[in-house]
């Protein structure tokens, strides 16, 4: 029996939006579907914003559609520690002032057997 951990390649994605027009959360069911089908595994999810002065700040986002419910509850615990403050600052550095972004780190679990072999 092998002690190797089968793991797929790790990628990240930064999705930017204007602060005055936040996302509605419509894309999250598609991400959940990818997780449910074992195509990806969410390792970390963080949010940042860049104010008009160019400062990059951590952002706490839970209710995208304003209905009072945490739209991100399904991702609770997706905090592996892979996204550092330095990573947040670097991602925020490319944002336009007055915007926010989600930083998503995920494993391509579909590729784990191939990558391990």
């Amino acid at each position: 029996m092998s002690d190797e951990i089968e793991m797929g390649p790790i990628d990240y994605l930064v999705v930017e939006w204007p602060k005055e027009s936040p996302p509605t959360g419509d894309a999250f069911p598609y991400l959940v579907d990818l997780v449910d089908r074992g195509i990806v595994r969410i390792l970390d999810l963080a949010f940042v914003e860049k104010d008009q002065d160019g400062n990059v700040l951590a952002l706490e986002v839970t209710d995208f559609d304003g209905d009072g419910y945490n739209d991100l509850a399904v991702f609770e615990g997706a905090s592996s520690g892979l996204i550092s403050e330095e990573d947040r600052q670097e991602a925020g550095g490319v944002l336009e002032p007055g915007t926010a972004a989600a930083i998503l780190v995920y494993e391509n679990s579909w590729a784990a057997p191939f990558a391990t072999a």
Side-chain angles (χ1 to χ4, degrees), residues 11-17 23 28 31 42-50 56-62 64 72 75-92 95 99-106:
D11 279 320
Y12 72 94
L13 177 67
V14 178
V15 180
E16 177 182 14
W17 64 84
F28 287 118
L31 183 57
I42 306 304
L43 301 176
D44 227 327
L45 177 62
F47 298 91
V48 294
E49 68 176 304
K50 189 172 197 176
V56 177
L57 309 163
L59 183 62
E60 194 64 38
V61 178
T62 57
F64 279 99
L72 302 178
F75 300 115
E76 207 153 338
S79 180
S80 64
L82 288 173
I83 300 176
S84 67
E85 181 57 32
E86 183 180 326
D87 295 328
R88 284 181 180 86
Q89 291 297 317
E90 186 173 332
L95 300 178
T99 62
I103 306 167
L104 178 67
V105 178
Y106 60 96

Side-chain angles (χ1 to χ4, degrees), residues 36-55:
D36 287 347
R37 293 190 290 143
I39 295 172
V40 299
R41 181 169 61 118
I42 306 304
L43 301 176
D44 227 327
L45 177 62
F47 298 91
V48 294
E49 68 176 304
K50 189 172 197 176
D51 67 19
Q52 294 299 336
D53 296 327
N55 300 308

